[in-house]
Structures are given as C-alpha cells and as structure tokens.
C-alpha cells in the first residue's frame, strides 16, 4: 500500500509538472504533436524543460570555469550589493571580467559556427571554379562579377591594342575562390568584405582599431584572451569580441551568402508554405535539417530524378515530399520554394507525426534527442558531416563530400524511400500550414522597389522620410 | 512592429515563426499593418515581413542597411538610420555573435528571454549604455514581447527625431494651379 501511495504521488507530481500544450506554444500544430508525444510517452524538449531549471549563476554570466582552481561562482545576491562590490574569483577576476570572458566565448562559438560554414562554401566554390567537381557549377555570373572587385579581382583585361575586354569567367571564379578562402587564414591586413560597410562606419572601425585581420585569427585570439590570466579588462575583452563579430557578419557570413548565391543563384521572391502540415501521409517524407545549402541543393536535385520517383512508387508512395527544418530549410526555400516543416523546437515533433521516413542533418541546432525520438518510430536519422555525429540512438552516417556530392545525395534519398514501407505507428499529421512568400535577397528588394531600370532603395527611403514607414526592424534568431 | 508601420526584415528560425503566423504574405499587410506600411506593401506587392534567408544571410540585412544609407536622406551611417535589431527568442551562441555585429554596425539590438550578464552590473551597463557612445549602437534585453517592441519603436522614433523627420510630412495633392504657382516661383 505504502509503495503504491508513493507511486501515485509521483505520478500526480508528473502530471502537475507537465504543462498543458497550449501553455507551451501558440502554434496549434505543435500543441497537437506535444499532446501526441504524451499519448505515446515519447519525451520531448517540452517535457524536459519542466524539470530542468537553469543554473542561476550561469544564467547571470558569473560562473568561471576557465581553470581548475574553481569553478568560481560569483552570483549577485537577490537584494543587490550595497557599497563596493568585492566579489572576486580565486585569481581575483571580477564579475565583469568573468561575464565578459563568458560573453566573448559565446561570440567565438557563434562566429566560428557561421564562419566554418562559410569556409565549407568557399572550399566547394573553389572546387567548382577549378572544375574538380561536376556536381556544382557557377550559376549566377552576374553576382560573381558584382562581388569580384570587393576581393580585388579584375573582371576585365586589356586587349592587344589596349582595348578593355571581358575577362574569362572561369578565371575570375578561380581567383575569387582563392581570395575568398584566404580571408580565413589571413594574419595581417583587413578582411576584404569589411569595406562594404558605409564609409563613416568603416572609418570608425579603423579609428577604433577593430577592423578584423583574418576570420580565424580573431576567433583564436578570443580563446587566448579568455584563458586564465590573460585579458582582465572587460572593455578590452569586448573590443576583441567586436573584431571577431565583424569578421563574422561582414566576413565569414557575408562571404558564405555571396558564394552560395553565385553557386546556387541569388534568391528572388517565390511562394511556398510552412508548418508540419506540409508533410504528406502518402508521400515519402524526407526532412532536411541543419544549416548548409551544399548538401540540401544536391538532395533537391536528386529527389527530382525520374528513377527516384519510380522507386518511391515501387515502394507504394505517391511521390517524394521534401521539407526542411532550421536554416538549411531557409536556404532551399529561398532558392527552390521547398516548404518549411518547422523551426528549431519542432524537430522532435516532426518525427512524432510518424510520417518522416528520414531526417537528414548537417550541422548546428540539431538536438541530440532526435536520435532517441526516432527510435520510437521508423524514422532514420542520417548524419552527413564529419563535424557533427550523434552517439545517442541509432543513426546512419552517410558522409557528404563535395567531390561526390550528387552520388551522396542520391544515396540519402534512396535510404528515405526504402524506409517508407517500414512505417509502424499510426501517422498523424497536423493540418496547419501557412502560405508564404520568401526570397527577399537585398538585390530582390532593390528590384521590387524600383524595377529593372531604376532599381534602388530610394522608394524605401522616401517612404521612411514621409512617414508612411516608421522605420526598419531586423528580427532574427 | 508592423502595426506601428515598422517594416520587418527577418531571417532564420524567426522567419519560420513569422511564416507560420501568416506574416509572410502580401495579403497580411492589410490585416496587421498600420495604414502607412499597408499602403506601401500594397503598392509594391510585398509582405510587411520580408524573409531574407538563413542565419548567415543576416549579412543581407547589413547590405540592405548599407543600401539605405547610400540611397540618401537618412543619415551618413547605419547608426543614423531609423532601424532597430531584435532576437526575441534567441538561444544559440550564434545569436550573440550576430547581436554583437549588429551593435558594432551601429544598431540598437534588443534580445528577449535573458542575457547572461545580469550578475555583472558594470559589464551590463557597458553593453547597454556605454557602447552607444562608441558605436552608436548598443545591447538591451527585454523578455516581455510588447515592451520589447516598444523599446525598438522608441529607438526608431529617437532616430527619426535626430534626422528631423519625426513629424510625418503632410501629403498635399498638387492640382494644376498649384503646379503653375511652383513653376512661376
């Protein structure tokens, strides 16, 4: 009796802790899937969040574990501190030194993620330019010609009689690829694309000495400065954060965008739809999750092959439905209109529909737990990047190489199709999906505002000046 | 934001959230926007929230801001443009890097949820206040979504005032007589 009582109490506590789906999200499709996960007793992030309380000291940014003398914990008392703040770590580090170090390491992590993505793109771009791979080729030559001068690459040559001639496009591509890739390892000078900033901004950065020298160098220097006993001046630490962050936004990320546009085409507005309702019960559902377009571009092509469609039909499916989660989804949405299955918090929920035959992942924002959720269904999780493997669950690794990209993509699509007949549980797909128009590159906005012959941002400025538009909000994350 | 005539450029997971909420359609302008923004969206045929791509594509937002500066009339630098940045539901280290290059580019940037600097008030003050004197942009944190948007709008209004465009110009319809008058003068 006694043990039963304890069990009941534990069960009651569990029910109490589990918040109602409508308290966890405003998205109806997600509510339905959270409900379904509980019916099936499959744990998701929404359940874990109820029991995992964030560390109070870490949340304040004042836990220092950069050496083994600590970790030193410097929480700010709830009542605040009256008079002088005497909190110090064992080495004497103040709360501001510790918070600045932790902040800096976050900048380093973030800049590294974006920029390593950019490096991968630059490597593939160079392989394409040198014609070492047949799977990728330069698609948007206009954009190539636009960006080449920013890397100091000539787009014209002098003819025999001194006349100006167009330079060979392949030659330009190879030189742009080489110069772009060199921005990562460069030790001195300036990251080339930083000069795109408005003149006064660039001059300000120069005056402050925060123009990044090379993308990798600034990230490494953050790691050095935040090691025990190096930079112990929060203003100076933040200055290095600025170098690394500029090297990300105006460097690694910007070069990634540029080269992706040249390889795969600059996005222009197109229609699509978003939410779990884009999954189709009678189709093979292949969900592409992660961040890079290199592999997903190939998967889009592979899924369109007649032989793949035939194989899908042979396995009893009506077709192949691609959809995406997170930023790799945005990449193929922007260029091909592939629908969005959801964002970060829906990755487990997509699998819980029971309709996902394979989820292929590359890098960033992939929850380890998708491997556990997938084990409760027939879903295959396919990892593809040597940087990002998952030890939990039972995942398949099909390594993606830019030299054999299309073959790798075909293997992945085939794996998804062959898994279609293995669906075990009842398929429940929420009905919600919203129409959308995406594909607004800054070039597209230019065109939309002014048309082909007078493309410009002037109409936007005019409408801000006359007050119809109050201003601009950049909302991200 | 769009109710108060602020056009929104978005990327990443936030773009997907906006898509699910139906904000990425031109038709949504009439439903959700203030009259000014609705008019512009209808005339140009664009949604009030423009999906610019993945998280590396935040560089497109930087380039758009640069184009606005170049087009003229809204200051000589990004820090003078009526613009504000936001990551309402950030969680990754990437977001911190993005936030910091927005700030270093002169943009007032508000994060939602929490910021891991509250235990160090001196550093927090440096990020939220003193950086404005150096870069013209600074950090902020506001978990309440309504206050979050209000802070961004207040900053946009501050920039409009500095540019002398805080009083919306009256729209006058010029008839032929008025035109002749201008030509005569």
């Amino acid at each position: 009796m006694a043990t039963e009582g304890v069990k009941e109490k534990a069960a009651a506590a569990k029910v109490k802790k589990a918040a109602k789906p409508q308290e966890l999200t405003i998205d109806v499709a997600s509510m339905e899937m959270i409900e379904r996960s509980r019916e099936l007793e499959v744990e998701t992030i929404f359940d874990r969040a109820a029991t995992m309380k964030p560390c109070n000291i870490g949340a304040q940014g004042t836990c220092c574990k950069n050496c083994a003398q600590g970790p030193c914990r410097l929480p700010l008392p709830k009542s605040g501190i009256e008079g002088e703040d005497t909190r110090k770590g064992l080495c004497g580090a103040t709360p501001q030194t510790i918070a600045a170090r932790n902040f800096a390491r976050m900048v380093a992590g973030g800049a590294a993620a974006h920029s390593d993505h950019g490096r991968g793109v630059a490597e593939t771009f160079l392989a394409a330019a040198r014609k070492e791979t047949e799977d990728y080729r330069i698609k948007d030559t206009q954009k190539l010609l636009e960006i080449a001068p920013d890397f100091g690459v000539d787009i014209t040559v002098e003819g025999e009689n001194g006349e100006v001639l167009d330079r060979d496009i392949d030659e330009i591509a190879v030189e742009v690829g080489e110069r772009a890739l060199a921005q990562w390892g460069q030790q001195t000078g300036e990251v080339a694309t930083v000069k795109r900033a408005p003149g006064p901004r660039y001059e300000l950065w120069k005056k402050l000495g925060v123009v990044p020298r090379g993308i990798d160098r600034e990230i490494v220097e953050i790691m050095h400065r935040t090691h025990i006993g190096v930079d112990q001046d929060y203003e100076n630490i933040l200055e290095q954060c600025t170098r690394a962050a500029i090297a990300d936004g105006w460097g690694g990320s910007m070069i990634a965008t540029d080269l992706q546009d040249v390889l795969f085409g600059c996005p222009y507005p197109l229609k699509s739809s978003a939410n779990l309702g884009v999954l189709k019960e009678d189709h093979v559902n292949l969900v592409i999750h992660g961040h890079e377009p290199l592999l997903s571009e190939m998967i889009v092509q592979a899924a369109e092959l007649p032989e793949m469609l035939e194989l899908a039909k042979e396995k009893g499916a009506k077709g192949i439905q691609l959809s995406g989660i997170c930023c790799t989804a945005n990449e193929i949405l922007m260029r091909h209109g592939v629908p969005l299955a959801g964002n970060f918090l829906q990755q487990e929920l997509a699998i819980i529909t029971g309709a996902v035959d394979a989820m292929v992942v590359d890098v960033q924002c992939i929850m380890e737990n998708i491997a556990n959720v997938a084990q409760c269904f027939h879903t295959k999780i396919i990892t593809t990047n040597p940087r990002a493997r998952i030890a939990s669950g039972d995942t398949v690794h099909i390594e993606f190489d830019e030299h054999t990209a299309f073959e790798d993509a075909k293997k992945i699509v085939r794996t998804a199709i062959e898994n279609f007949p293995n669906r075990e549980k009842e398929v429940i797909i929420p009905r919600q999906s919203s129409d959308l128009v995406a594909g607004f590159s800054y070039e597209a906005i230019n065109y939309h505002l002014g048309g082909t012959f007078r493309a410009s941002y002037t109409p936007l400025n005019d409408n801000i000046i006359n007050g119809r538009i109050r201003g601009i909000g950049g909302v991200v994350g | 934001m769009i109710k108060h005539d602020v056009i929104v450029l978005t990327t990443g997971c936030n773009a997907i959230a906006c898509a699910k909420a139906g904000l990425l359609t031109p038709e949504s302008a009439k439903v959700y926007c203030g009259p000014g923004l609705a008019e512009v969206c209808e005339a140009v045929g664009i949604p009030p929230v423009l999906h610019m791509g993945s998280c590396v594509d935040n560089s497109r937002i930087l380039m758009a801001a640069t184009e606005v500066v170049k087009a003229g009339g809204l200051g000589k630098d990004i820090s003078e443009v009526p613009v504000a940045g936001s990551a309402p539901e950030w969680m990754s280290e990437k977001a911190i890097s993005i936030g910091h290059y927005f700030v270093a580019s002169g943009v007032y940037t508000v994060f939602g949820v929490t910021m891991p600097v509250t235990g160090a008030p001196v550093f927090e003050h440096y990020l939220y206040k003193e950086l404005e004197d150096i870069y013209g942009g600074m950090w902020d944190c506001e978990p309440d979504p309504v206050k979050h948007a209000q802070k961004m709008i207040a900053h946009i209004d501050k920039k409009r005032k500095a540019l002398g465009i805080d009083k919306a110009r009256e729209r006058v319809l010029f008839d032929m007589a008025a035109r002749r008058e201008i030509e005569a003068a």
Side-chain angles (χ1 to χ4, degrees):
Chain A
M1 283 297 283
T3 45
E4 259 177 42
V6 171
K7 262 190 194 168
E8 268 168 29
K9 267 188 197 164
K14 206 175 173 186
V15 171
K16 204 177 165 191
K17 263 184 192 163
K20 289 182 186 141
Q22 51 269 38
E23 290 165 8
L24 296 168
T25 175
I26 58 160
D27 177 51
V28 179
S30 299
M31 284 177 207
E32 196 182 329
M33 283 301 105
I34 294 168
E35 198 74 63
R36 177 75 176 145
S37 75
R38 289 178 181 165
E39 267 169 42
L40 297 171
E41 294 183 340
V42 177
E43 186 200 78
T44 69
I45 189 168
F46 296 96
D47 304 310
R48 292 189 293 278
T51 46
M52 172 68 72
K53 289 280 160 267
C55 162
N56 178 42
I57 307 160
Q60 291 189 10
T62 47
C63 170
C64 185
K65 53 182 179 56
N66 294 12
C67 86
Q69 299 178 99
C72 295
R73 299 168 298 158
L74 277 64
L76 186 69
K78 266 196 187 136
S79 53
I81 289 172
E82 265 184 50
E84 203 190 336
D85 186 352
T86 54
R87 291 176 294 160
K88 277 190 193 111
L90 284 179
C91 68
T94 61
Q96 46 271 25
T97 298
I98 293 172
R101 275 180 188 159
N102 290 335
F103 183 89
R105 287 202 165 188
M106 291 183 88
V107 171
H114 287 143
S115 297
D116 208 31
H117 164 165
R119 183 201 324 270
V121 175
E123 283 173 344
T124 303
F125 181 91
L126 193 54
R130 287 179 177 155
K131 306 213 184 304
E132 293 166 2
T133 167
E134 286 179 5
D135 299 337
Y136 299 97
R137 48 183 67 108
I138 307 301
K139 196 168 175 183
D140 193 338
T141 48
Q142 194 191 333
K143 181 134 184 176
L144 176 65
L145 296 176
E146 277 165 22
I147 65 168
D150 293 339
F151 291 99
V153 175
D154 292 330
I155 55 172
T156 55
V157 283
E158 203 175 304
E160 277 175 23
N161 304 317
E163 73 274 31
V164 178
L165 299 171
D166 286 344
R167 193 177 170 201
D168 178 62
I169 207 85
D170 291 333
E171 247 181 68
I172 298 174
V174 170
E175 206 178 325
V176 166
E178 285 169 351
R179 298 257 176 118
L181 194 56
Q183 303 304 312
W184 273 264
Q186 187 173 284
Q187 300 302 321
T188 52
E190 297 176 352
V191 171
T193 37
V194 170
K195 271 215 173 101
R196 286 184 186 163
R201 181 61 29 183
Y202 171 74
E203 290 304 326
L204 174 71
W205 288 339
K206 252 185 112 146
K207 199 180 99 198
L208 294 168
V210 294
V211 177
R213 295 155 288 185
I215 299 166
D216 287 349
R217 177 169 189 167
E218 305 307 351
I219 296 167
V220 169
E221 193 168 315
I222 285 186
M223 298 313 284
H224 178 192
R225 286 194 193 208
T226 53
H227 184 275
I228 162 83
V230 186
D231 203 349
Q232 290 152 139
D233 172 345
Y234 64 94
E235 292 184 12
N236 207 42
I237 295 172
L238 200 74
E239 197 179 276
Q240 184 56 26
C241 292
T242 304
R243 285 187 197 99
I246 295 173
D248 174 359
W250 294 90
S253 283
M254 193 169 272
I255 297 171
T257 299
D258 275 354
L259 300 185
Q260 285 169 187
D261 282 354
V262 177
L263 274 179
F264 307 125
C266 186
Y268 277 88
L270 41 70
K271 278 181 160 183
S272 188
S273 48
N275 215 340
L276 294 169
V278 305
L279 298 171
K280 287 187 185 150
E281 183 167 1
D282 52 10
H283 280 56
V284 172
N285 287 297
L286 174 54
V287 177
I288 308 171
H289 174 24
H291 276 76
E292 300 182 348
L294 298 175
L295 169 68
S296 51
E297 279 284 332
M298 290 297 118
I299 292 179
V300 171
Q301 288 180 33
E304 284 169 357
L305 290 173
E307 62 184 84
M308 292 298 169
L309 194 62
E310 255 168 55
L311 183 64
K313 286 191 172 152
E314 210 175 281
K315 299 287 173 190
K318 284 197 175 145
I320 304 165
Q321 177 63 50
L322 291 183
S323 59
I325 287 181
C326 282
C327 279
T328 197
N330 285 324
E331 298 280 6
I332 47 176
L333 164 73
M334 295 284 281
R335 298 192 181 88
H336 303 284
V338 172
L340 303 164
N343 49 5
F344 176 78
L345 286 174
Q346 288 175 301
Q347 51 188 293
E348 291 167 312
L349 303 182
I351 300 171
I352 288 165
T353 61
V356 177
D357 302 300
M359 184 180 275
V360 56
V361 302
D362 53 25
V363 290
Q364 299 169 26
C365 302
I366 298 142
M367 288 192 211
E368 183 161 355
N369 201 57
I370 56 168
N372 298 321
V373 175
Q375 277 198 307
C376 306
F377 297 85
H378 76 299
T379 308
K380 280 209 157 67
I381 303 289
I382 307 169
T383 57
T384 55
N385 194 299
R387 298 173 184 85
R389 296 182 76 140
I390 299 176
S392 287
D394 183 21
T395 58
V396 186
H397 187 76
I398 300 177
E399 193 146 316
F400 168 72
D401 184 308
E402 71 251 30
H403 297 95
T404 54
F406 196 49
E407 280 309 309
D408 300 336
K410 282 202 274 190
K411 222 183 279 175
I412 289 162
V413 175
R414 212 172 284 128
T415 307
I417 298 170
E418 278 163 2
N419 200 29
F420 178 79
N422 299 331
R423 290 187 188 176
E424 312 145 353
K425 291 202 170 70
E426 191 192 349
V427 170
I428 295 182
I429 301 171
R431 286 171 52 202
Q432 284 74 21
S433 85
S434 307
D435 290 337
L436 64 91
V437 179
F440 291 95
S441 55
Y442 93 97
E443 292 90 339
I445 297 177
N446 209 10
Y447 169 76
H448 246 272
L449 290 171
T452 311
F453 299 110
R454 47 188 178 86
S456 90
Y457 274 66
T458 308
L460 174 64
N461 285 30
D462 286 347
N463 279 300
I464 295 176
I465 293 165
N466 70 28
R468 266 185 221 123
I469 295 178
R470 195 165 184 167
I472 306 166
V475 187
V476 307
Chain B
M1 303 284 293
I2 58 177
K3 199 173 163 187
H4 291 92
D5 294 317
V6 176
I7 192 165
V8 172
L9 310 179
T10 186
T11 61
C13 272
N14 185 74
I16 304 178
C18 290
K20 289 190 291 183
L23 301 178
L24 302 190
T25 59
E27 298 77 25
S28 68
K30 233 188 273 176
V31 185
Y32 301 108
C33 294
L37 180 58
E39 193 185 332
V40 174
C41 287
E42 206 173 336
V44 184
I46 53 171
V49 179
L50 300 179
H51 187 344
M52 297 193 80
S54 68
C55 48
V56 292
D57 292 336
N58 285 318
S59 59
R60 298 193 202 275
I61 299 184
L62 297 177
M63 290 308 291
T66 303
E67 287 298 314
V68 167
V69 172
K70 278 192 203 154
L74 291 173
K76 291 193 171 68
D77 196 355
I78 297 172
S79 54
E80 294 176 44
V81 178
V83 56
S86 158
E89 294 187 5
W90 79 280
M91 59 94 196
S92 72
E93 291 170 327
K94 289 182 287 179
I96 295 288
S97 180
I98 295 165
H100 199 58
Y101 68 66
F102 267 48
V103 169
S105 302
V107 181
Y108 168 62
T109 304
V110 193
F111 269 40
V113 196
T114 176
M115 273 293 281
V117 295
T118 51
V122 174
F123 184 57
E124 190 179 35
H125 187 263
Y126 186 64
L127 288 180
Y128 294 3
K129 298 273 183 269
E130 292 167 52
L131 283 189
E132 188 176 16
D133 297 334
I134 305 172
Y135 295 107
M138 65 290 198
W139 281 86
D140 206 346
C141 178
E142 178 52 64
D144 180 273
V146 175
K147 284 186 203 155
H148 187 112
Q150 282 167 347
K151 281 184 161 184
M152 292 170 73
I153 293 168
H155 180 80
I156 285 170
D157 286 349
K158 180 171 110 179
K159 294 295 165 186
R160 292 187 69 87
K161 198 170 177 192
L163 289 167
I165 55 167
D166 49 329
K167 289 171 196 77
R169 279 201 313 215
E170 233 176 279
R171 291 166 66 196
V172 184
L173 196 69
F174 283 87
D175 57 11
M176 276 319 285
R179 284 188 194 191
R180 278 191 205 108
E181 222 169 89
I182 292 171
E183 275 164 29

